[in-house]
Amino acid sequence: MKKNYKEVSIDPTTQQMYERAQEMGIETVWERLEKQQPQCGYGLLGICCRNCMMGPCRINPFGGEPKRGVCGADADTIVARNLLRMIAAGAAAHSDHGRHVALTLLIAAEMAEKFKKEGKPVLELDNMASNTLPYQVRDVEKLKAVAKRLGIETEGRTIREIAKEVAEVALNDFGKQDEEAIAFLKAYLNPKTYEVFEKAGEKAGMPWFENGILPRSIDREIVESLHRTHIGTDHDPVSILLHGLKTSLGDAWGGSLIATELQDILFGTPQVIKAEANLGVLKEDYVNIVVHGHEPVLSEKIVEAAQDPELIELAQKYGAKGINVVGMCCTGLEVLMRHGIPIAGNFLQQEMAIVTGAVEAMVVDVQCIMPATVDVARCFHTKIIDTSPIATFPGAIHIKFDERRADEIAKEIVKTAVENFPNRSKQRVEIPKEKMEGYVGFSVEAILKHFGGTLKPIEDAIIEGKIKGVAGLVGCNNPKVKQDHNHIKIANELMKRDVLLVGTGCWATAAMKYGIFLPEYADTENVGPGLREFAKEWGIPPALNMGSCVDCTRILVLADMVARDLNVPIHALPVVGSAPEAMTEKAVSIGTYFVASGITTHLGVVPPVLGGPKVVKILTHDLYDIVGAAFIVEPDPYKAAKKMYDHIMKKRKELGI
Ligand code: SF4
Ligand code: SF4
């Protein structure tokens, strides 16, 4: 059934393209969601189990029979196991991304070493004058800072030696077999929060969790999640969920943190820069290439290749003015943060971008890419080019990426897009005009630089009450929620109450599209007087874009620094998290690691847990006693903002401020 465009999104470009798709008879995510109705009640409640072939089993949600699966597992066991598998999948996605970046750094260091032995001109990894290496260290200062945190010697050593050791320590965190916590967690986390993690098992009445929820290795905790949830293994929702916290912390202070930090080393740490967002960034007279997915290892190279004079000349030969690279989802945020490459949209706009008829190629890597993009692309001239050996899309062009031949492959991809320009039907192009400017690039380093090398101005403003607290807004779009509606409502409701926002992922793209990342947004009625004064005094927007999904770790590192300054664990801070339109398993892992790290977190989409009353109680209440934070589940954005604000005020009171 056709939906009114106002029901699907508050974004005028999505509304326009949705209408266009309807007129052209193109099926989109909203029709596919409609065709799934009614969605299975067992699945929504989390009370179906397919973990063995005696099943699938379902529990009667109304209290009647069956109360147990064939093996005897009850509703809480089943719900907890399903949730743990979601956390593990989310942690795996982020962490495999982190591993890929660590391997790229290692490959770069090893190639430099090999070149040096062969007498080639590359002597150091940061020799930017040389283009003989596909990847280099763009931020030597950050490399040394990360090395220092990890206890790696930097004095008297070459950049490639330090880079190699940092990559090796990172990779060791994935597969080590001892009982110690992972090196990155130990290097970054303040001792008070570390102690909370260490004692979580005892507090939960399970002292056999000897090191509490400290992750021992990133991969091991993910594998153990699958082991624990295998038929006939762990059946207690408390221990299953404790392991969920541990697995998510391997993501937070391991896989995702490694991704963020090593990407900064390889591609540069983001600094504040002005850029543009929304579908209006596509250009009618240019070859448009959309980079979509999550890993910047390829998209960085696409951005470089698009500046190649020969390829620009080729584009001009075909009648285009040049090559326009734009981003989508988190890959888009990565190149937005580091280079100011415009971002065309968030998750629910991937099909909409193709519907403009102006996209020559959508270059995809991993995560959050709908297979439906291939079907939508068939209605136009757009080529979907898949590039990751682990993500193949039937019907797409496969140009698989190899870091060792990064430049050559990136050029091949850009050339494929350029050569597709003559196939564009000019009559079928319709690009929405809306786009919005905003300041991006607020890495922890950029924030520190802005405030004169310290977080004291933010801390003082919080203590004075000018700012009541900080909210980390993150996560996806979900077609079950009107696109961007909850993102913007919650943001405004919090800013009205003088809460400073930091954010990532599709929330950040939403905020940028509505002008929230402009300093002048502080003058609107959506920002309270204290936050307005603070933002104006420091020349910042009332909300700071901290990057992609893996960059949620920037929020953690920031919170950890404040906690260190105040000599408290993170859970004592007036800080909250929210994923207003959560969708992915990664969002489940992020929410869990926020909570495990001490940040009470709101979910705007109810996760599949309501069928397990004990699980719900653990997640929304008992975790306060174990890690000092818990989940708030509230689909109504106004009520959600109020609950988050109340939590901030409670924390202020406890801190005596
Ligand atoms: S593990 Fe138990 S509840 Fe799950 S499918 Fe097998 S028998 Fe059913
Ligand atoms: S925020 Fe969510 S939907 Fe958006 S790119 Fe990240 S994981 Fe995907």
Side-chain angles (χ1 to χ4, degrees), residues 74-348:
D74 66 10
D76 281 297
T77 301
I78 291 173
V79 169
R81 285 196 307 213
N82 288 340
L83 183 64
L84 177 52
R85 285 193 169 204
M86 286 185 90
I87 295 168
H94 281 150
S95 301
D96 214 29
H97 171 169
R99 183 200 328 270
H100 189 195
V101 181
L103 285 169
T104 305
L105 185 63
L106 186 69
I107 288 169
E110 286 177 349
M111 278 178 88
E113 210 164 76
K114 184 168 167 275
F115 279 22
K116 186 174 184 239
K117 277 188 195 142
E118 290 168 358
K120 289 190 182 159
V122 179
L123 297 179
E124 282 294 344
L125 251 180
D126 61 338
N127 181 358
M128 297 302 295
S130 162
N131 60 5
T132 48
L133 281 173
Y135 295 100
Q136 292 156 345
V137 170
R138 292 250 172 91
D139 192 340
V140 174
E141 215 177 293
K142 177 119 190 194
L143 173 70
K144 288 186 177 166
V146 173
K148 198 171 157 217
R149 278 193 190 254
L150 293 166
I152 293 170
E153 186 57 69
T154 56
E155 282 303 307
R157 301 183 81 194
T158 63
I159 300 302
R160 67 172 182 282
E161 283 167 346
I162 304 168
K164 189 168 179 225
E165 197 171 340
V166 167
E168 283 168 350
V169 171
L171 290 167
N172 191 48
D173 268 353
F174 284 89
K176 73 187 191 61
Q177 301 298 328
D178 59 49
E179 300 299 308
E180 286 277 300
I182 51 176
F184 267 76
L185 180 143
K186 288 202 285 190
Y188 279 74
L189 193 68
N190 87 67
K192 298 239 167 179
T193 311
Y194 189 95
E195 207 182 311
V196 176
F197 293 178
E198 212 170 19
K199 298 210 168 127
E202 243 170 74
K203 289 213 168 159
M206 297 201 161
W208 55 91
F209 272 77
E210 271 183 28
N211 289 322
I213 52 172
L214 284 166
R216 299 155 296 181
S217 112
I218 300 160
D219 289 351
R220 182 173 175 184
E221 307 311 353
I222 294 167
V223 170
E224 191 175 303
S225 295
L226 296 179
H227 183 177
R228 275 179 186 266
T229 53
H230 187 274
I231 176 180
T233 311
D234 199 358
H235 301 107
D236 190 321
V238 177
S239 52
I240 294 169
L241 294 176
L242 269 186
H243 189 72
L245 301 189
K246 194 189 251 194
T247 305
S248 74
L249 290 174
D251 173 355
W253 301 93
S256 285
L257 183 61
I258 287 168
T260 296
E261 298 297 78
L262 273 51
Q263 281 168 184
D264 284 355
I265 290 170
L266 280 167
F267 309 126
T269 304
Q271 296 300 329
V272 180
I273 186 173
K274 200 173 195 184
E276 290 178 335
N278 219 344
L279 289 176
V281 302
L282 292 167
K283 292 183 182 168
E284 197 154 352
D285 36 15
Y286 279 66
V287 172
N288 288 306
I289 302 176
V290 181
V291 288
H292 176 19
H294 281 75
E295 292 187 8
V297 174
L298 166 70
S299 49
E300 281 281 330
K301 288 283 141 186
I302 299 282
V303 170
E304 269 176 45
Q307 289 156 14
D308 184 298
E310 276 178 31
L311 288 170
I312 294 174
E313 204 179 305
L314 186 66
Q316 287 162 348
K317 198 182 113 194
Y318 286 124
K321 284 191 180 152
I323 304 168
N324 181 37
V325 178
V326 301
M328 180 69 63
C329 281
C330 283
T331 286
L333 283 160
E334 297 282 0
V335 288
L336 171 84
M337 289 282 284
R338 294 195 176 86
H339 307 291
I341 298 291
I343 187 154
N346 48 7
F347 177 71
L348 285 176

Side-chain angles (χ1 to χ4, degrees), residues 49-52 54-55 57 69-71 73 78 81 231:
C49 180
R50 290 189 297 109
N51 290 13
C52 87
M54 289 193 283
C57 301
V70 178
C71 68
I78 291 173
R81 285 196 307 213
I231 176 180

Side-chain angles (χ1 to χ4, degrees), residues 293-294 329-330 347 367-368 475-477 505-507 549 583-584 586-587:
H294 281 75
C329 281
C330 283
F347 177 71
Q367 302 165 23
C368 300
C476 324
N477 284 148
C506 288
W507 176 83
C549 301
M583 178 273 295
T584 61
K586 291 178 295 173

Side-chain angles (χ1 to χ4, degrees), residues 19 99 263 269 428 433 463:
E19 281 282 277
R99 183 200 328 270
Q263 281 168 184
T269 304
R428 297 188 79 215
K433 62 179 186 327
I463 291 166

